[in-house]
Amino acid sequence: MADIKSRVHAPGWVGEFRAFIMRGNVVDLAVGVIIGAAFTSIVNSLVKDIFNPIIGLLIGGIDFSNLFVTLKGPHLATLAEAQKAGAVTINIGLFVNAVIQFLIVGLVIFWTVKVLTRMHVREDAAPAEPPAPTKTELLLEQIRDELAARKV
């Protein structure tokens, strides 16, 4: 069995793929996607459970999730009942929910980038030590000092 393992060689692309996956950008992207998925569930709950009831109350008690138009099939009171009965519907309320979610995500991303940009600008504005003089600058300083010494 050990002889079989020593004779099996991985294709060359496996090493390249491993190097690609372990690069910092790919790992950062993966973390971003995972955090984005978690953030999406928070935004979905925020829109569905907080914003939509408030907006619905303000405009007369409309439940956006049940705002739909039946194209074919029985006209029922809720979207769930219509879908269960096999009706063909245009789900306006679900679209409104998606638009609200998009706007919230866009707003949060805008403010996050704005805050991070301000923090980065402040870091850049911090005084840095002057760079060490180059060899050319040191040589020119020596020449200047020698010329100044000759005049005296």
mmCIF file of all heavy atoms in Angstrom, residues 36-80:
data_model
loop_
_atom_site.group_PDB
_atom_site.id
_atom_site.type_symbol
_atom_site.label_atom_id
_atom_site.label_comp_id
_atom_site.label_asym_id
_atom_site.label_seq_id
_atom_site.Cartn_x
_atom_site.Cartn_y
_atom_site.Cartn_z
ATOM 1 N N GLY A 36 -20.344 38.934 4.187
ATOM 2 C CA GLY A 36 -21.439 39.475 3.384
ATOM 3 C C GLY A 36 -22.694 38.621 3.481
ATOM 4 O O GLY A 36 -23.804 39.145 3.562
ATOM 5 N N ALA A 37 -22.532 37.305 3.481
ATOM 6 C CA ALA A 37 -23.699 36.420 3.619
ATOM 7 C C ALA A 37 -24.353 36.597 4.981
ATOM 8 O O ALA A 37 -25.581 36.644 5.088
ATOM 9 C CB ALA A 37 -23.278 34.974 3.411
ATOM 10 N N ALA A 38 -23.542 36.704 6.022
ATOM 11 C CA ALA A 38 -24.096 36.920 7.361
ATOM 12 C C ALA A 38 -24.777 38.286 7.437
ATOM 13 O O ALA A 38 -25.850 38.425 8.037
ATOM 14 C CB ALA A 38 -22.998 36.810 8.414
ATOM 15 N N PHE A 39 -24.170 39.289 6.827
ATOM 16 C CA PHE A 39 -24.731 40.637 6.834
ATOM 17 C C PHE A 39 -26.065 40.665 6.086
ATOM 18 O O PHE A 39 -26.988 41.375 6.473
ATOM 19 C CB PHE A 39 -23.728 41.610 6.214
ATOM 20 C CG PHE A 39 -24.178 43.037 6.238
ATOM 21 C CD1 PHE A 39 -24.238 43.735 7.425
ATOM 22 C CD2 PHE A 39 -24.550 43.671 5.072
ATOM 23 C CE1 PHE A 39 -24.655 45.050 7.453
ATOM 24 C CE2 PHE A 39 -24.961 44.988 5.081
ATOM 25 C CZ PHE A 39 -25.009 45.674 6.284
ATOM 26 N N THR A 40 -26.176 39.871 5.018
ATOM 27 C CA THR A 40 -27.416 39.815 4.244
ATOM 28 C C THR A 40 -28.574 39.328 5.096
ATOM 29 O O THR A 40 -29.680 39.868 5.010
ATOM 30 C CB THR A 40 -27.232 38.900 3.014
ATOM 31 O OG1 THR A 40 -26.203 39.442 2.196
ATOM 32 C CG2 THR A 40 -28.509 38.791 2.198
ATOM 33 N N SER A 41 -28.340 38.333 5.933
ATOM 34 C CA SER A 41 -29.429 37.844 6.772
ATOM 35 C C SER A 41 -29.850 38.903 7.788
ATOM 36 O O SER A 41 -31.039 39.026 8.109
ATOM 37 C CB SER A 41 -29.032 36.546 7.481
ATOM 38 O OG SER A 41 -27.991 36.777 8.399
ATOM 39 N N ILE A 42 -28.902 39.697 8.273
ATOM 40 C CA ILE A 42 -29.239 40.782 9.201
ATOM 41 C C ILE A 42 -30.075 41.842 8.485
ATOM 42 O O ILE A 42 -31.089 42.315 9.006
ATOM 43 C CB ILE A 42 -27.965 41.402 9.800
ATOM 44 C CG1 ILE A 42 -27.271 40.401 10.715
ATOM 45 C CG2 ILE A 42 -28.272 42.681 10.562
ATOM 46 C CD1 ILE A 42 -25.893 40.827 11.176
ATOM 47 N N VAL A 43 -29.666 42.214 7.278
ATOM 48 C CA VAL A 43 -30.407 43.221 6.516
ATOM 49 C C VAL A 43 -31.801 42.698 6.155
ATOM 50 O O VAL A 43 -32.785 43.435 6.237
ATOM 51 C CB VAL A 43 -29.630 43.642 5.253
ATOM 52 C CG1 VAL A 43 -30.482 44.501 4.342
ATOM 53 C CG2 VAL A 43 -28.368 44.382 5.647
ATOM 54 N N ASN A 44 -31.902 41.424 5.775
ATOM 55 C CA ASN A 44 -33.216 40.851 5.472
ATOM 56 C C ASN A 44 -34.149 40.961 6.668
ATOM 57 O O ASN A 44 -35.312 41.343 6.528
ATOM 58 C CB ASN A 44 -33.084 39.387 5.051
ATOM 59 C CG ASN A 44 -32.492 39.230 3.678
ATOM 60 O OD1 ASN A 44 -32.497 40.152 2.881
ATOM 61 N ND2 ASN A 44 -31.967 38.057 3.405
ATOM 62 N N SER A 45 -33.648 40.626 7.837
ATOM 63 C CA SER A 45 -34.466 40.729 9.044
ATOM 64 C C SER A 45 -34.818 42.180 9.347
ATOM 65 O O SER A 45 -35.949 42.480 9.736
ATOM 66 C CB SER A 45 -33.732 40.111 10.234
ATOM 67 O OG SER A 45 -34.481 40.282 11.405
ATOM 68 N N LEU A 46 -33.867 43.083 9.184
ATOM 69 C CA LEU A 46 -34.118 44.500 9.435
ATOM 70 C C LEU A 46 -35.243 45.015 8.543
ATOM 71 O O LEU A 46 -36.163 45.702 9.002
ATOM 72 C CB LEU A 46 -32.835 45.312 9.213
ATOM 73 C CG LEU A 46 -32.904 46.809 9.419
ATOM 74 C CD1 LEU A 46 -33.156 47.117 10.895
ATOM 75 C CD2 LEU A 46 -31.610 47.469 8.963
ATOM 76 N N VAL A 47 -35.189 44.668 7.268
ATOM 77 C CA VAL A 47 -36.219 45.131 6.331
ATOM 78 C C VAL A 47 -37.556 44.458 6.625
ATOM 79 O O VAL A 47 -38.583 45.124 6.750
ATOM 80 C CB VAL A 47 -35.784 44.863 4.875
ATOM 81 C CG1 VAL A 47 -36.918 45.098 3.908
ATOM 82 C CG2 VAL A 47 -34.600 45.734 4.520
ATOM 83 N N LYS A 48 -37.552 43.135 6.749
ATOM 84 C CA LYS A 48 -38.792 42.378 6.912
ATOM 85 C C LYS A 48 -39.449 42.634 8.264
ATOM 86 O O LYS A 48 -40.670 42.795 8.333
ATOM 87 C CB LYS A 48 -38.494 40.890 6.749
ATOM 88 C CG LYS A 48 -39.691 39.996 6.903
ATOM 89 C CD LYS A 48 -39.279 38.548 6.778
ATOM 90 C CE LYS A 48 -40.440 37.632 7.157
ATOM 91 N NZ LYS A 48 -40.013 36.251 7.239
ATOM 92 N N ASP A 49 -38.658 42.652 9.323
ATOM 93 C CA ASP A 49 -39.221 42.681 10.669
ATOM 94 C C ASP A 49 -39.340 44.083 11.270
ATOM 95 O O ASP A 49 -40.088 44.268 12.225
ATOM 96 C CB ASP A 49 -38.381 41.802 11.597
ATOM 97 C CG ASP A 49 -38.324 40.357 11.113
ATOM 98 O OD1 ASP A 49 -39.311 39.913 10.506
ATOM 99 O OD2 ASP A 49 -37.294 39.688 11.333
ATOM 100 N N ILE A 50 -38.597 45.055 10.758
ATOM 101 C CA ILE A 50 -38.636 46.390 11.361
ATOM 102 C C ILE A 50 -39.151 47.442 10.379
ATOM 103 O O ILE A 50 -40.140 48.120 10.648
ATOM 104 C CB ILE A 50 -37.242 46.777 11.910
ATOM 105 C CG1 ILE A 50 -36.871 45.826 13.049
ATOM 106 C CG2 ILE A 50 -37.236 48.221 12.395
ATOM 107 C CD1 ILE A 50 -35.496 46.012 13.619
ATOM 108 N N PHE A 51 -38.474 47.589 9.223
ATOM 109 C CA PHE A 51 -38.843 48.668 8.309
ATOM 110 C C PHE A 51 -40.205 48.464 7.644
ATOM 111 O O PHE A 51 -41.007 49.387 7.578
ATOM 112 C CB PHE A 51 -37.772 48.884 7.241
ATOM 113 C CG PHE A 51 -36.536 49.549 7.760
ATOM 114 C CD1 PHE A 51 -35.293 49.228 7.243
ATOM 115 C CD2 PHE A 51 -36.592 50.498 8.758
ATOM 116 C CE1 PHE A 51 -34.146 49.845 7.713
ATOM 117 C CE2 PHE A 51 -35.455 51.110 9.228
ATOM 118 C CZ PHE A 51 -34.232 50.785 8.701
ATOM 119 N N ASN A 52 -40.457 47.272 7.113
ATOM 120 C CA ASN A 52 -41.713 47.058 6.395
ATOM 121 C C ASN A 52 -42.937 47.253 7.278
ATOM 122 O O ASN A 52 -43.903 47.873 6.826
ATOM 123 C CB ASN A 52 -41.729 45.690 5.729
ATOM 124 C CG ASN A 52 -40.891 45.672 4.477
ATOM 125 O OD1 ASN A 52 -40.451 46.715 4.006
ATOM 126 N ND2 ASN A 52 -40.658 44.498 3.941
ATOM 127 N N PRO A 53 -42.962 46.745 8.515
ATOM 128 C CA PRO A 53 -44.145 47.036 9.343
ATOM 129 C C PRO A 53 -44.331 48.526 9.619
ATOM 130 O O PRO A 53 -45.463 49.027 9.601
ATOM 131 C CB PRO A 53 -43.865 46.274 10.647
ATOM 132 C CG PRO A 53 -42.937 45.186 10.259
ATOM 133 C CD PRO A 53 -42.103 45.752 9.160
ATOM 134 N N ILE A 54 -43.232 49.243 9.838
ATOM 135 C CA ILE A 54 -43.337 50.690 10.096
ATOM 136 C C ILE A 54 -43.838 51.413 8.848
ATOM 137 O O ILE A 54 -44.760 52.224 8.918
ATOM 138 C CB ILE A 54 -41.988 51.267 10.567
ATOM 139 C CG1 ILE A 54 -41.634 50.709 11.941
ATOM 140 C CG2 ILE A 54 -42.035 52.787 10.604
ATOM 141 C CD1 ILE A 54 -40.226 51.046 12.398
ATOM 142 N N ILE A 55 -43.252 51.096 7.691
ATOM 143 C CA ILE A 55 -43.679 51.730 6.436
ATOM 144 C C ILE A 55 -45.119 51.355 6.129
ATOM 145 O O ILE A 55 -45.934 52.197 5.733
ATOM 146 C CB ILE A 55 -42.734 51.349 5.275
ATOM 147 C CG1 ILE A 55 -41.352 51.940 5.516
ATOM 148 C CG2 ILE A 55 -43.291 51.823 3.937
ATOM 149 C CD1 ILE A 55 -40.295 51.446 4.552
ATOM 150 N N GLY A 56 -45.457 50.090 6.322
ATOM 151 C CA GLY A 56 -46.831 49.645 6.093
ATOM 152 C C GLY A 56 -47.822 50.355 6.985
ATOM 153 O O GLY A 56 -48.916 50.735 6.551
ATOM 154 N N LEU A 57 -47.453 50.574 8.236
ATOM 155 C CA LEU A 57 -48.331 51.286 9.171
ATOM 156 C C LEU A 57 -48.503 52.739 8.751
ATOM 157 O O LEU A 57 -49.610 53.284 8.821
ATOM 158 C CB LEU A 57 -47.741 51.205 10.589
ATOM 159 C CG LEU A 57 -48.567 51.814 11.710
ATOM 160 C CD1 LEU A 57 -49.859 51.023 11.881
ATOM 161 C CD2 LEU A 57 -47.776 51.803 13.010
ATOM 162 N N LEU A 58 -47.410 53.354 8.295
ATOM 163 C CA LEU A 58 -47.469 54.754 7.884
ATOM 164 C C LEU A 58 -48.332 54.963 6.638
ATOM 165 O O LEU A 58 -48.933 56.024 6.466
ATOM 166 C CB LEU A 58 -46.064 55.303 7.637
ATOM 167 C CG LEU A 58 -45.169 55.448 8.872
ATOM 168 C CD1 LEU A 58 -43.769 55.875 8.463
ATOM 169 C CD2 LEU A 58 -45.770 56.453 9.847
ATOM 170 N N ILE A 59 -48.389 53.967 5.766
ATOM 171 C CA ILE A 59 -49.168 54.140 4.527
ATOM 172 C C ILE A 59 -50.495 53.390 4.569
ATOM 173 O O ILE A 59 -51.082 53.102 3.536
ATOM 174 C CB ILE A 59 -48.350 53.744 3.281
ATOM 175 C CG1 ILE A 59 -47.940 52.288 3.320
ATOM 176 C CG2 ILE A 59 -47.165 54.631 3.092
ATOM 177 C CD1 ILE A 59 -47.315 51.802 2.032
ATOM 178 N N GLY A 60 -50.966 53.071 5.762
ATOM 179 C CA GLY A 60 -52.322 52.533 5.870
ATOM 180 C C GLY A 60 -52.416 51.053 6.162
ATOM 181 O O GLY A 60 -53.421 50.430 5.807
ATOM 182 N N GLY A 61 -51.428 50.471 6.779
ATOM 183 C CA GLY A 61 -51.507 49.075 7.192
ATOM 184 C C GLY A 61 -51.266 48.062 6.095
ATOM 185 O O GLY A 61 -51.682 46.913 6.210
ATOM 186 N N ILE A 62 -50.573 48.452 5.037
ATOM 187 C CA ILE A 62 -50.291 47.517 3.943
ATOM 188 C C ILE A 62 -49.119 46.631 4.334
ATOM 189 O O ILE A 62 -48.083 47.109 4.793
ATOM 190 C CB ILE A 62 -49.954 48.278 2.640
ATOM 191 C CG1 ILE A 62 -51.153 49.084 2.177
ATOM 192 C CG2 ILE A 62 -49.505 47.318 1.557
ATOM 193 C CD1 ILE A 62 -50.864 49.975 0.980
ATOM 194 N N ASP A 63 -49.298 45.312 4.151
ATOM 195 C CA ASP A 63 -48.210 44.356 4.371
ATOM 196 C C ASP A 63 -47.543 44.122 3.016
ATOM 197 O O ASP A 63 -48.138 43.516 2.122
ATOM 198 C CB ASP A 63 -48.769 43.053 4.945
ATOM 199 C CG ASP A 63 -47.701 42.017 5.193
ATOM 200 O OD1 ASP A 63 -46.497 42.359 5.127
ATOM 201 O OD2 ASP A 63 -48.057 40.849 5.455
ATOM 202 N N PHE A 64 -46.327 44.606 2.864
ATOM 203 C CA PHE A 64 -45.653 44.507 1.566
ATOM 204 C C PHE A 64 -45.497 43.067 1.100
ATOM 205 O O PHE A 64 -45.556 42.801 -0.094
ATOM 206 C CB PHE A 64 -44.264 45.165 1.622
ATOM 207 C CG PHE A 64 -44.317 46.652 1.569
ATOM 208 C CD1 PHE A 64 -43.756 47.402 2.586
ATOM 209 C CD2 PHE A 64 -44.904 47.310 0.520
ATOM 210 C CE1 PHE A 64 -43.784 48.778 2.548
ATOM 211 C CE2 PHE A 64 -44.937 48.692 0.463
ATOM 212 C CZ PHE A 64 -44.385 49.419 1.484
ATOM 213 N N SER A 65 -45.258 42.152 2.012
ATOM 214 C CA SER A 65 -45.033 40.768 1.586
ATOM 215 C C SER A 65 -46.279 40.170 0.943
ATOM 216 O O SER A 65 -46.186 39.203 0.195
ATOM 217 C CB SER A 65 -44.573 39.917 2.770
ATOM 218 O OG SER A 65 -45.567 39.890 3.768
ATOM 219 N N ASN A 66 -47.458 40.727 1.214
ATOM 220 C CA ASN A 66 -48.696 40.234 0.605
ATOM 221 C C ASN A 66 -49.218 41.174 -0.467
ATOM 222 O O ASN A 66 -50.394 41.112 -0.832
ATOM 223 C CB ASN A 66 -49.764 40.021 1.678
ATOM 224 C CG ASN A 66 -49.490 38.761 2.466
ATOM 225 O OD1 ASN A 66 -49.097 37.752 1.910
ATOM 226 N ND2 ASN A 66 -49.661 38.840 3.763
ATOM 227 N N LEU A 67 -48.364 42.024 -0.990
ATOM 228 C CA LEU A 67 -48.757 42.922 -2.075
ATOM 229 C C LEU A 67 -48.406 42.228 -3.388
ATOM 230 O O LEU A 67 -47.229 42.101 -3.750
ATOM 231 C CB LEU A 67 -48.014 44.254 -1.938
ATOM 232 C CG LEU A 67 -48.401 45.373 -2.876
ATOM 233 C CD1 LEU A 67 -49.864 45.740 -2.701
ATOM 234 C CD2 LEU A 67 -47.540 46.588 -2.622
ATOM 235 N N PHE A 68 -49.427 41.717 -4.082
ATOM 236 C CA PHE A 68 -49.197 40.968 -5.317
ATOM 237 C C PHE A 68 -50.398 41.107 -6.240
ATOM 238 O O PHE A 68 -51.486 41.512 -5.826
ATOM 239 C CB PHE A 68 -48.925 39.489 -5.022
ATOM 240 C CG PHE A 68 -50.094 38.755 -4.412
ATOM 241 C CD1 PHE A 68 -50.925 37.991 -5.217
ATOM 242 C CD2 PHE A 68 -50.355 38.819 -3.057
ATOM 243 C CE1 PHE A 68 -52.006 37.315 -4.671
ATOM 244 C CE2 PHE A 68 -51.422 38.146 -2.496
ATOM 245 C CZ PHE A 68 -52.260 37.390 -3.304
ATOM 246 N N VAL A 69 -50.167 40.779 -7.511
ATOM 247 C CA VAL A 69 -51.225 40.800 -8.510
ATOM 248 C C VAL A 69 -51.334 39.388 -9.078
ATOM 249 O O VAL A 69 -50.326 38.809 -9.504
ATOM 250 C CB VAL A 69 -50.908 41.806 -9.646
ATOM 251 C CG1 VAL A 69 -51.949 41.738 -10.752
ATOM 252 C CG2 VAL A 69 -50.766 43.203 -9.091
ATOM 253 N N THR A 70 -52.545 38.849 -9.077
ATOM 254 C CA THR A 70 -52.759 37.509 -9.613
ATOM 255 C C THR A 70 -53.008 37.604 -11.117
ATOM 256 O O THR A 70 -53.925 38.298 -11.557
ATOM 257 C CB THR A 70 -53.959 36.830 -8.920
ATOM 258 O OG1 THR A 70 -53.730 36.822 -7.511
ATOM 259 C CG2 THR A 70 -54.132 35.410 -9.408
ATOM 260 N N LEU A 71 -52.190 36.917 -11.894
ATOM 261 C CA LEU A 71 -52.359 36.905 -13.346
ATOM 262 C C LEU A 71 -53.270 35.763 -13.793
ATOM 263 O O LEU A 71 -54.094 35.920 -14.694
ATOM 264 C CB LEU A 71 -51.003 36.774 -14.034
ATOM 265 C CG LEU A 71 -50.001 37.907 -13.812
ATOM 266 C CD1 LEU A 71 -48.696 37.594 -14.513
ATOM 267 C CD2 LEU A 71 -50.568 39.213 -14.312
ATOM 268 N N LYS A 72 -53.093 34.608 -13.152
ATOM 269 C CA LYS A 72 -53.892 33.448 -13.544
ATOM 270 C C LYS A 72 -54.100 32.597 -12.302
ATOM 271 O O LYS A 72 -53.156 32.327 -11.564
ATOM 272 C CB LYS A 72 -53.169 32.647 -14.619
ATOM 273 C CG LYS A 72 -53.937 31.445 -15.118
ATOM 274 C CD LYS A 72 -53.160 30.719 -16.190
ATOM 275 C CE LYS A 72 -53.940 29.489 -16.643
ATOM 276 N NZ LYS A 72 -53.161 28.709 -17.593
ATOM 277 N N GLY A 73 -55.302 32.176 -12.066
ATOM 278 C CA GLY A 73 -55.610 31.341 -10.926
ATOM 279 C C GLY A 73 -56.527 32.061 -9.966
ATOM 280 O O GLY A 73 -57.020 33.159 -10.241
ATOM 281 N N PRO A 74 -56.773 31.445 -8.825
ATOM 282 C CA PRO A 74 -57.713 32.036 -7.862
ATOM 283 C C PRO A 74 -57.138 33.290 -7.215
ATOM 284 O O PRO A 74 -55.943 33.395 -6.966
ATOM 285 C CB PRO A 74 -57.907 30.923 -6.834
ATOM 286 C CG PRO A 74 -56.691 30.071 -6.943
ATOM 287 C CD PRO A 74 -56.239 30.161 -8.365
ATOM 288 N N HIS A 75 -57.986 34.257 -6.974
ATOM 289 C CA HIS A 75 -57.597 35.494 -6.289
ATOM 290 C C HIS A 75 -57.777 35.267 -4.792
ATOM 291 O O HIS A 75 -58.901 35.229 -4.298
ATOM 292 C CB HIS A 75 -58.457 36.669 -6.763
ATOM 293 C CG HIS A 75 -58.285 36.975 -8.211
ATOM 294 N ND1 HIS A 75 -57.228 37.709 -8.693
ATOM 295 C CD2 HIS A 75 -59.024 36.630 -9.299
ATOM 296 C CE1 HIS A 75 -57.329 37.809 -10.000
ATOM 297 N NE2 HIS A 75 -58.411 37.151 -10.398
ATOM 298 N N LEU A 76 -56.667 35.132 -4.069
ATOM 299 C CA LEU A 76 -56.706 34.853 -2.644
ATOM 300 C C LEU A 76 -56.142 36.030 -1.852
ATOM 301 O O LEU A 76 -55.525 36.942 -2.414
ATOM 302 C CB LEU A 76 -55.941 33.561 -2.342
ATOM 303 C CG LEU A 76 -56.520 32.312 -3.052
ATOM 304 C CD1 LEU A 76 -55.572 31.148 -2.936
ATOM 305 C CD2 LEU A 76 -57.882 31.954 -2.485
ATOM 306 N N ALA A 77 -56.301 35.981 -0.522
ATOM 307 C CA ALA A 77 -55.940 37.125 0.327
ATOM 308 C C ALA A 77 -54.438 37.263 0.543
ATOM 309 O O ALA A 77 -53.933 38.380 0.618
ATOM 310 C CB ALA A 77 -56.635 36.998 1.685
ATOM 311 N N THR A 78 -53.724 36.160 0.629
ATOM 312 C CA THR A 78 -52.286 36.257 0.905
ATOM 313 C C THR A 78 -51.492 35.601 -0.215
ATOM 314 O O THR A 78 -52.008 34.723 -0.941
ATOM 315 C CB THR A 78 -51.919 35.573 2.247
ATOM 316 O OG1 THR A 78 -52.150 34.167 2.135
ATOM 317 C CG2 THR A 78 -52.701 36.162 3.400
ATOM 318 N N LEU A 79 -50.243 35.991 -0.324
ATOM 319 C CA LEU A 79 -49.356 35.437 -1.339
ATOM 320 C C LEU A 79 -49.118 33.953 -1.097
ATOM 321 O O LEU A 79 -49.097 33.159 -2.036
ATOM 322 C CB LEU A 79 -48.027 36.205 -1.360
ATOM 323 C CG LEU A 79 -46.978 35.729 -2.356
ATOM 324 C CD1 LEU A 79 -47.511 35.834 -3.778
ATOM 325 C CD2 LEU A 79 -45.702 36.525 -2.199
ATOM 326 N N ALA A 80 -48.955 33.574 0.146
ATOM 327 C CA ALA A 80 -48.709 32.166 0.469
ATOM 328 C C ALA A 80 -49.885 31.302 0.017
ATOM 329 O O ALA A 80 -49.677 30.218 -0.555
ATOM 330 C CB ALA A 80 -48.468 32.010 1.961
#
